[in-house]
Amino acid sequence: PQVKVNFVPVDHCIELRRADGSMDNRCDGCLFYRDTIIFVELKQRKGKGNQWIKDGEQQLRSTIGYFEQQEEARNFPIKKAYIANSEKPLFRTGQAVRMERFFSETNYILRIENRINIE
């Protein structure tokens, strides 16, 4: 069955400001359908290491923090976050601890892969 998926751009479209008035980190956008919301940060892997994962996680945490203060957050019992990287398509199993910590602190399931599953 087909599912209608909505996309909302966040970065460069929605202003999220810190208490001091400066612009806060934002992810690239979010997808939502039925009772599911998925925040997405798109990355191009640069150099060695996993700094792109750390940066993406921070952008997702910041955006999710703002969203969870909104009434609409209650409309989505299924909450996910993706750091997607076209340069690094394989799932990073070494990031299991990071993903578990992300869920325990945000109640969002974090995935680090280049395909976003719509279920």
Side-chain angles (χ1 to χ4, degrees):
Q2 288 191 340
V3 175
K4 180 183 176 194
V5 178
N6 300 284
F7 173 75
V8 175
V10 176
D11 199 13
H12 305 295
C13 295
I14 298 175
E15 291 190 359
L16 302 179
R17 300 224 176 247
R18 297 180 181 102
D20 67 4
S22 64
M23 193 66 72
D24 206 346
N25 292 319
R26 295 157 294 183
C27 68
D28 289 309
C30 75
L31 305 168
F32 63 96
Y33 57 96
R34 294 193 295 253
D35 57 355
T36 301
I37 189 159
I38 304 171
F39 286 91
V40 179
E41 176 58 27
L42 305 171
K43 291 290 185 195
Q44 292 288 330
R45 184 168 188 243
K46 296 176 184 157
K48 296 193 178 192
N50 63 357
Q51 188 59 45
W52 62 273
I53 295 174
K54 293 175 184 173
D55 293 344
E57 180 184 356
Q58 182 53 47
Q59 289 167 281
L60 288 166
R61 282 179 179 271
S62 175
T63 308
I64 288 168
Y66 285 96
F67 178 72
E68 284 298 314
Q69 296 173 22
Q70 308 305 312
E71 189 75 28
E72 295 86 16
R74 296 187 189 135
N75 297 334
F76 299 99
I78 300 171
K79 299 178 179 191
K80 300 179 182 180
Y82 275 78
I83 303 171
N85 188 330
S86 62
E87 304 282 324
K88 188 71 174 172
L90 297 175
F91 180 74
R92 300 277 312 236
T93 54
Q95 299 296 324
V97 171
R98 179 185 302 277
M99 292 184 288
E100 288 171 19
R101 184 177 59 240
F102 191 92
F103 181 75
S104 71
E105 294 173 357
T106 68
N107 284 326
Y108 280 72
I109 297 166
L110 176 64
R111 293 290 176 250
I112 303 166
E113 49 194 78
N114 72 339
R115 294 187 189 272
I116 298 169
N117 294 318
I118 305 298
E119 301 164 11

